[in-house]
């Protein structure tokens, strides 16, 4: 259990005691089991915690530098982007965004448990970087892997996740669609010094990592329902008006939902707005 807790913190960078319990040990009723694991790990200086603003009792746990060194070569974390949170200062700065991302992850975990799907702690990878050429990079807040099981058929689904806590303008949020459209259409040049970096196949750069381009899901929180709906409208407008985004939307499912709706109604409910128009529906049917 200690191994799983350390690996989960290495994967997700930070999580509260309750989140770790839900993520790893939901079959156990008593959350004290997680606390009993974390206390000796802290004494060994492998983990530490910060208290999120506005909370007097919640502890948000993260790996120390020693803990990060310990887990970096573990099988669960091979290929993991090396962006650990290893100090109280860094943890305090990242608490709100990181814990919000874990909340989103756990909404999909609960959906999988209720429907017989598969989505666990290692199926959600935060902050995955992709090249856009010319030195530009796109960092997805998370890449999600989800297995839908129906009538003994297993369907592998992937999604780029963007978490919006209303800390930027609606226009800047919508502009992220352009970055994903650039990734969708980007093909590396095969001339000059770049020739040696070109994959063995020709075609979009994203095919180096994904068999199909992952769907793009925006998860919003941190404002009134009206404000969040306006931000979704900004995303819909960008999808309809930008030619490259519109071209991507014809082939890639794009959707947006409010985090609180995922937590109350379930991530599999009809709470996702298709960005190319239409009524709300489950994210698997965008």
């Amino acid at each position: 259990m200690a191994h799983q807790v350390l690996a989960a913190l290495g994967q997700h960078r930070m999580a509260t005691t309750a989140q770790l319990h839900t993520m790893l040990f939901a079959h156990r009723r008593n959350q004290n089991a997680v606390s009993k694991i974390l206390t000796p790990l802290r004494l060994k200086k492998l983990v530490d915690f910060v208290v999120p603003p506005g909370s007097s009792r919640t502890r948000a746990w993260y790996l120390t530098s020693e803990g990060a060194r310990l887990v970096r070569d573990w099988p669960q974390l091979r290929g993991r982007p090396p962006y650990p949170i290893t100090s109280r200062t860094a943890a305090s700065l990242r608490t709100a965004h990181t814990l919000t991302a874990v909340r989103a992850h756990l909404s999909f975990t609960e959906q999988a448990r209720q429907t017989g799907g598969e989505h666990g702690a290692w199926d959600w990878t935060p902050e995955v970087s992709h090249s856009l050429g010319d030195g530009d990079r796109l960092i997805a807040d998370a890449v999600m892997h989800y297995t839908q099981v129906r009538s003994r058929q297993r369907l592998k689904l992937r999604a780029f996740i963007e978490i919006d806590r209303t800390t930027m303008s609606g226009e800047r949020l919508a502009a992220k669609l352009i970055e994903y459209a650039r990734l969708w259409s980007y093909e590396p040049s095969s001339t000059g010094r770049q020739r040696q970096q070109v994959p063995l196949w020709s075609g979009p750069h994203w095919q180096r990592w994904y068999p199909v381009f992952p769907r793009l899901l925006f998860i919003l929180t941190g404002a009134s329902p009206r404000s969040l709906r306006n931000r979704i409208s900004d995303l819909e407008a960008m999808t309809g008006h930008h030619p490259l985004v519109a071209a991507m939307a014809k082939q890639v499912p794009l959707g947006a939902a409010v985090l609180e709706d995922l937590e109350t109604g379930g991530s599999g409910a009809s709470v996702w707005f298709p960005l190319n128009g239409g009524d709300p529906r489950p994210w698997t049917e965008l």
Side-chain angles (χ1 to χ4, degrees), residues 138 140-142 144 158-163 173-181 183-184 213-219 235 239 245 248-249 251-257 272-275 283 286:
L138 164 66
D141 283 337
M144 178 180 72
R158 301 164 191 82
F160 291 123
I161 305 292
E162 282 295 323
I163 304 295
L173 173 67
K176 288 191 174 183
L177 281 165
I178 301 176
E179 296 183 31
Y180 280 97
L183 175 62
W184 171 73
F213 195 84
R215 63 194 62 209
L216 176 54
L217 304 178
F218 287 84
I219 300 176
L235 292 167
T239 303
V245 177
M248 177 179 68
Q251 299 186 30
V252 179
L254 311 175
W272 293 89
F273 291 86
L275 298 188
W283 69 273
L286 290 169

Side-chain angles (χ1 to χ4, degrees), residues 224-266:
S224 68
R226 181 178 179 180
S227 295
L228 295 178
R229 185 64 187 92
N230 287 339
R231 294 171 77 80
I232 292 175
S233 295
D234 291 340
L235 292 167
E236 293 170 337
M238 179 66 78
T239 303
H241 296 158
H242 193 282
L244 187 58
V245 177
M248 177 179 68
K250 293 179 180 179
Q251 299 186 30
V252 179
L254 311 175
V258 174
L259 176 58
E260 286 74 14
D261 290 342
L262 304 186
E263 293 178 323
T264 56

Side-chain angles (χ1 to χ4, degrees), residues 61-211:
W61 296 88
Y62 62 94
L63 296 178
T64 64
S65 297
E66 183 61 30
R69 283 193 294 269
L70 175 67
V71 306
R72 64 186 176 188
D73 294 324
W74 287 6
Q76 300 101 313
L77 303 178
R78 286 175 185 164
R80 180 73 176 85
Y83 308 135
I85 297 172
T86 58
S87 71
R88 281 183 173 271
T89 300
S92 297
L93 293 173
R94 299 286 295 175
T95 299
H97 183 84
T98 305
L99 295 185
T100 301
V102 176
R103 286 172 59 192
H105 162 56
L106 293 179
S107 73
F108 290 97
T109 301
E110 183 60 25
Q111 177 193 355
R113 288 172 180 160
Q114 292 181 358
T115 62
E118 296 176 8
H119 178 71
W122 325 121
D123 297 319
W124 181 280
T125 307
E127 298 182 39
V128 180
S129 178
H130 302 81
S131 173
L132 299 177
D134 299 323
D136 293 341
R137 302 197 72 81
L138 164 66
I139 299 179
D141 283 337
V143 172
M144 178 180 72
H145 296 262
Y146 189 101
T147 302
Q148 186 179 45
V149 181
R150 287 185 178 178
S151 301
R152 298 184 181 181
Q153 293 184 339
R154 297 166 55 83
L155 178 62
K156 299 290 186 180
L157 302 174
R158 301 164 191 82
F160 291 123
I161 305 292
E162 282 295 323
I163 304 295
D164 173 47
R165 296 187 300 110
T166 325
T167 56
M168 65 177 69
S169 69
E171 183 176 356
R172 283 188 59 196
L173 173 67
K176 288 191 174 183
L177 281 165
I178 301 176
E179 296 183 31
Y180 280 97
R182 289 177 60 194
L183 175 62
W184 171 73
S185 62
Y186 170 53
E187 296 187 21
S189 170
S190 60
T191 61
R193 297 176 60 185
Q194 295 182 349
R195 186 182 301 275
Q196 298 300 321
Q197 302 175 11
V198 176
L200 295 178
W201 63 88
S202 61
H205 194 54
W206 56 263
Q207 289 181 344
R208 295 183 64 181
W209 301 280
Y210 311 107

